[in-house]
Amino acid sequence: MAHVRPLANGLRTDHPVPGLPFVDDSHIPLDEGPEAIEAVGRHVAHGMWGRYDPNHGDGGWRAFTTDPLQHSLGWSVRYHPEHGRTVLLMRDHDTSDLHSQWSGEQVLFRAGGYWWTGSTWYRPGQVWDPVAENFERRKCRAAVTVSAADMLDGRADPARAHVGKVTTFDPEDPAPENWLDHLALWAERHQQQDDALPLERCVVDVASPELTGAQLLGLPEMAERGGITASTLRAYISRGNSEVPQPQAAVGGRDQWARAVADDWVEARQRSSEGIRATMSAGDRDNLSPGAAEVRDRFADDFHDTLWGRPDVRKRWILRQRNETSVREVADVLAWNVAVSLDRILPTEMLGPTVEGAVLNDLAGSIDHGEKRGKPEEEQTWWHLNLTRRVAKMLDWYIRHYPDAAQWCIGEIMRAAHSRWDIPAQQTIRTLRQALALDGELSEEARETYFALLSPPEHTDD
């Protein structure tokens, strides 16, 4: 999902985003509920849209609509029964993306993707958890919620601020330099509302040791940690690559990332399909996976024997200026063509579900066997899980030949084992790793490296 950035705060928001101007939202029926907000834009005119959805987990809702006066802009609203509402002015095409990001426990976002549940701050989600089918929740260290009351110390002057109008709003205008004056004007208007949320509960920002200046990295350091050049990272950012996290700050016009966010990004890159392929192909002259390299070497020998070892074939095509070294080079090229065409030999889209079904069937058999032994529930463990030899060898072959596709297959196995039998993901990984140690052909180093990249970290949600 693409990164989205709000343009301005609605005047009736309870949680102002620092640095953004305030825009009059009185023409949007915020107090009439989500259905009314949706109706502003839904089926009203060409290019307009609106939608609302309940948030079942907290009893709140979220809604968005195209602005009726300026169709290039839209309003996004997130309401929580305890923590009030966030009202943001967006580019109209970004409202649906933010709507999706608000579908869970996220009450609001700050500092380039840090998010708040109403009690806890978490870092931007980057590392995928295949069991939960969501990004891992990693707590922001020693986070402190900064309220509007914390920021208003009496020195700000609301007379130096103003509230913008949506009809004259220009997204390209610079952010107000005297933002605390604007915050003071918002606070004045806010306290005039009925049942206004106290300023002590109006969240403006988050403070944490991991967001201090000493913990921020510039683009060159960020690129170095990710194992890419600074120019490559700039290209990723310019293309809107959503896998690059949003910066947490801008210092002197230069983007800065929290070291903790950068570390999560590096881990996510290592666990990505590209990272898996790079890890498993490290050391090979053609950057092929272990299985593909085996196919290349096998066919290279076969082609060499055919082209050079058989006199009846050799005399038909060889020229006097050619020699065995030249033939070896031709054979290597032919073998490489075979190695990069593995999917034509055994299509992974058919193999993956087959391997997944076979592994889950073996796990089900192990569980049935354990239940038949009649162990008391308190003595039940997952140590009795195992794979049959043929299934283990097939999984090993799949990993060696298609390491990135096997990554997703194993993720599905972990998720299914957890949802069906409540098997912890770490125990599923342990079972697969042990089975391959007994019956697989991967080297111990390659096997341990591969499964280390797939294992869910034990520190999740610490």
Side-chain angles (χ1 to χ4, degrees):
M1 186 177 296
H3 298 315
V4 295
R5 292 176 174 82
L7 302 174
N9 295 294
L11 187 58
R12 287 179 288 171
T13 190
D14 289 322
H15 307 294
V17 176
L20 296 185
F22 292 88
V23 173
D24 184 8
D25 55 20
S26 60
H27 60 300
I28 303 298
L30 299 177
D31 296 327
E32 298 177 25
E35 296 94 336
I37 297 172
E38 176 190 80
V40 171
R42 194 174 183 90
H43 302 308
V44 173
H46 178 71
M48 295 185 66
W49 191 243
R51 174 172 176 165
Y52 85 91
D53 288 283
N55 278 57
H56 298 289
D58 56 34
W61 50 263
R62 62 198 190 279
F64 69 87
T65 183
T66 303
D67 186 273
L69 306 177
Q70 180 59 270
H71 293 181
S72 64
L73 302 175
W75 294 93
S76 292
V77 184
R78 168 71 159 99
Y79 172 77
H80 189 285
E82 179 183 355
H83 302 294
R85 66 189 172 200
T86 295
V87 185
L88 295 172
L89 183 65
M90 313 284 297
R91 297 185 190 277
D92 189 53
H93 57 74
D94 286 337
T95 54
S96 59
D97 286 337
L98 181 57
H99 190 79
S100 298
Q101 292 175 22
W102 267 335
S103 62
E105 295 182 84
Q106 298 88 342
V107 175
L108 51 81
F109 297 91
R110 292 292 185 271
Y114 278 74
W115 55 280
W116 186 60
T117 65
S119 60
T120 306
W121 285 95
Y122 292 92
R123 296 202 296 273
Q126 298 188 79
V127 179
W128 185 254
D129 182 345
V131 176
E133 291 192 298
N134 206 339
F135 292 106
E136 291 179 2
R137 295 155 49 108
R138 298 187 171 183
K139 286 184 179 180
C140 176
R141 184 163 57 91
V144 175
T145 300
V146 181
S147 71
D150 295 329
M151 299 195 72
L152 293 170
D153 57 5
R155 290 179 292 179
D157 184 0
R160 295 195 295 260
H162 68 279
V163 176
K165 295 184 179 297
V166 72
T167 52
T168 58
F169 181 80
D170 186 351
E172 302 304 322
D173 283 347
E177 294 182 0
N178 58 328
W179 190 76
L180 286 180
D181 296 334
H182 289 259
L183 181 66
L185 178 59
W186 164 84
E188 260 188 12
R189 302 284 187 89
H190 175 79
Q191 290 172 305
Q192 295 171 6
Q193 299 176 31
D194 295 336
D195 301 320
L197 198 68
L199 294 181
E200 293 78 9
R201 294 175 55 197
C202 294
V203 177
V204 176
D205 211 346
V206 57
S208 165
E210 62 189 60
L211 292 171
T212 59
Q215 293 298 313
L216 296 179
L217 305 173
L219 188 143
E221 295 86 358
M222 181 76 167
E224 183 179 2
R225 282 176 172 258
I228 57 178
T229 64
S231 60
T232 298
L233 180 55
R234 290 190 187 95
Y236 286 169
I237 295 171
S238 66
R239 292 198 299 265
N241 188 325
S242 62
E243 293 178 0
V244 179
Q246 296 181 64
Q248 278 59 66
V251 179
R254 298 177 182 273
D255 290 338
Q256 302 279 301
W257 287 265
R259 193 180 304 272
V261 172
D263 290 342
D264 288 349
W265 176 62
V266 171
E267 183 178 344
R269 282 177 56 81
Q270 292 172 338
R271 290 170 174 264
S272 69
S273 296
E274 291 183 1
I276 292 287
R277 285 195 296 268
T279 298
M280 296 303 290
S281 63
D284 182 74
R285 65 180 184 273
D286 292 324
N287 293 321
L288 295 176
S289 64
E294 291 172 7
V295 171
R296 176 200 61 204
D297 295 341
R298 183 172 66 249
F299 276 93
D301 290 338
D302 290 346
F303 290 155
H304 178 264
D305 290 344
T306 299
L307 297 172
W308 185 261
R310 292 176 51 184
D312 58 324
V313 175
R314 181 174 59 191
K315 69 181 181 181
R316 293 179 182 179
W317 66 269
I318 194 160
L319 300 177
R320 181 170 299 176
Q321 62 268 33
R322 290 184 178 168
N323 52 41
E324 184 175 358
T325 300
S326 299
V327 174
R328 169 59 73 179
E329 293 173 354
V330 173
D332 285 345
V333 171
L334 294 173
W336 181 85
N337 288 331
V338 174
V340 297
S341 303
L342 278 175
D343 201 57
R344 296 183 181 181
I345 300 173
L346 188 57
T348 185
E349 69 267 19
M350 293 185 288
L351 179 60
T354 303
V355 172
E356 177 188 341
V359 171
L360 291 174
N361 184 68
D362 275 6
L363 296 182
S366 297
I367 292 170
D368 289 343
H369 178 71
E371 291 175 347
K372 289 178 181 178
R373 293 174 63 184
K375 280 191 173 184
E377 184 175 348
E378 62 270 18
E379 294 181 19
Q380 291 286 341
T381 68
W382 302 115
W383 291 86
H384 63 275
L385 293 175
N386 58 75
L387 301 185
T388 58
R389 183 171 182 270
R390 290 185 176 181
V391 170
K393 292 183 76 66
M394 187 70 251
L395 178 61
D396 175 82
W397 188 96
Y398 192 33
I399 293 172
R400 287 188 291 113
H401 290 76
Y402 301 100
D404 52 331
Q407 169 199 16
W408 291 105
C409 176
I410 292 173
E412 286 298 298
I413 291 169
M414 287 192 289
R415 183 189 62 80
H418 184 268
S419 61
R420 292 186 193 180
W421 305 297
D422 202 28
I423 300 176
Q426 293 286 0
Q427 292 295 349
T428 300
I429 286 289
R430 175 183 175 278
T431 297
L432 303 184
R433 189 174 62 242
Q434 284 192 333
L436 267 60
L438 292 172
D439 299 310
E441 296 180 24
L442 274 173
S443 69
E444 180 179 359
E445 181 181 0
R447 183 176 62 252
E448 294 302 318
T449 299
Y450 184 77
F451 279 101
L453 293 174
L454 271 60
S455 299
E458 297 181 358
H459 63 264
T460 298
D461 203 15
D462 286 343

